[in-house]
Amino acid sequence: MLRNVPVYRGLEVQDRERLIDDVSDAYTRAAAAIRAREAAETEDDSIGPTSLEPVEIPEFDELIGIDESVYRQINAALATGKQHLMLYGPPGTGKTTLAQLVSGVLHGAYAMITGSADWTSQDVIGGYQPIGEGNVRFIPGVLLQKFDRPLIIDELNRCDIDKVIGPLFTVLSGQKTTLPYRTDVSEKNSPAFVILPKPKPGTAEHEFAPKPGWRIIATINSIDKAALYQMSFALARRFGWIYVGIPRDLQYFLLAIMRKSELIGDESEPDDDIPLTRIWRAVNAVRVIGPAPILDMLKTVHAIEPGINFLRAPNAEEATAYLDGFYMYILPMLDGILSKGAHTIAAEVQSALALDEKGEESRTLNYRLVDLAV
Ligand SMILES: Nc1ncnc2c1ncn2[C@@H]1O[C@H](COP(=O)(O)OP(=O)(O)OP(=O)(O)O)[C@@H](O)[C@H]1O
Ligand SMILES: [Mg+2]
């Protein structure tokens, strides 16, 4: 039974030498096997995220007036295996909604976090946390907890980008990252946690690997241009950058939205720009804003004056409702504009709403806009 088990007699010189040779042989064979396994791991691209079935992102009914270039570029990014997407553009153009809808098509479920200045890599990647009785343990952050589905990082510009996703950087560039945390804090020889760049079946306790559905879809509000410079080129290069602008035809967008919400009939087709289009256009000439604040203004006007006809110049009460909506949702977006711009907007709003030039409301409008200007 013990035929294949070598027996060494420790008192014999020859046997001791044989033992040393055998042990050294065994080490050499084991080391070669480990190297071969590691090579197989790094070369194995077959289960990478890009091998998922290609999915075509359709135009979404929920969003109106999104330029076709947006869908074309998203689909091109996906088709060429670009895993991570960056949706950027002016405020309120539907970036967050789009990120959610795209994630929905690609995976169904998603995780979403909103950028904040006090974020740390502990929140995103994880870190040691007390677990009672004086002990600490590595607790994974949101990214590692939800490594199986798209992660939407909304308003990425609001956090220190390199600091927060820096630890992820090697993963984004296809390499393994070793985290400065061990599986057993009290045991200095216990393995450190690692993040593997690609899916791996049967990960060990100390390994985190993305599942094929994982990707980052981030949004950036491009008003905050400084934010773009905060991100290193090396990191920026890992993303497909897709610009989500304002609708090309503002009037068409507004009429489509109003028809959809049955605020106007199907056949209504005004010849000239309606008041809301004029106001939005005047604002955009000074600072570009997306549909979201305009839609909020529209809802406000409708809530105050339910019988209003949005297609014609308002009467005095209706004009007051427009101003309420303007003050509530448009004015806060205009902080810090130049005073020349403030005057232009005031003049156009006044004309679009047929306000009395010398009346109280015109004065207030002028005053409030100029007050925001620098
Ligand atoms: N093109 C659009 N069509 C229809 N609704 C839109 C459109 N753009 C924005 N909205 C609506 O406006 C609201 C806000 O949009 P969303 O939050 O997605 O914009 P955002 O670009 O992420 O804004 P921000 O830059 O402020 O983060 C949503 O309810 C969305 O449905
Ligand atoms: Mg958003």
Side-chain angles (χ1 to χ4, degrees), residues 61-66 89-100 154-155 219-222 244-247 253 257 260 290-293 295-296 299 333:
D61 289 343
E62 294 88 335
L63 291 171
I64 295 167
I66 296 286
T93 51
K95 299 177 293 296
T96 305
T97 312
L98 195 58
Q100 291 168 307
D154 201 25
E155 304 186 22
T219 77
I220 284 190
N221 186 327
S222 64
V244 186
I246 60 167
F253 172 88
I257 285 279
K260 202 173 152 196
L295 293 178
D296 285 332
K299 284 182 208 152
M333 309 253 85

Side-chain angles (χ1 to χ4, degrees), residues 179-199:
L179 298 177
Y181 307 106
R182 302 197 166 280
T183 40
D184 183 350
V185 186
S186 57
E187 175 51 69
K188 74 178 190 331
N189 290 324
S190 71
F193 284 100
V194 294
I195 309 179
L196 306 175
K198 291 216 157 41

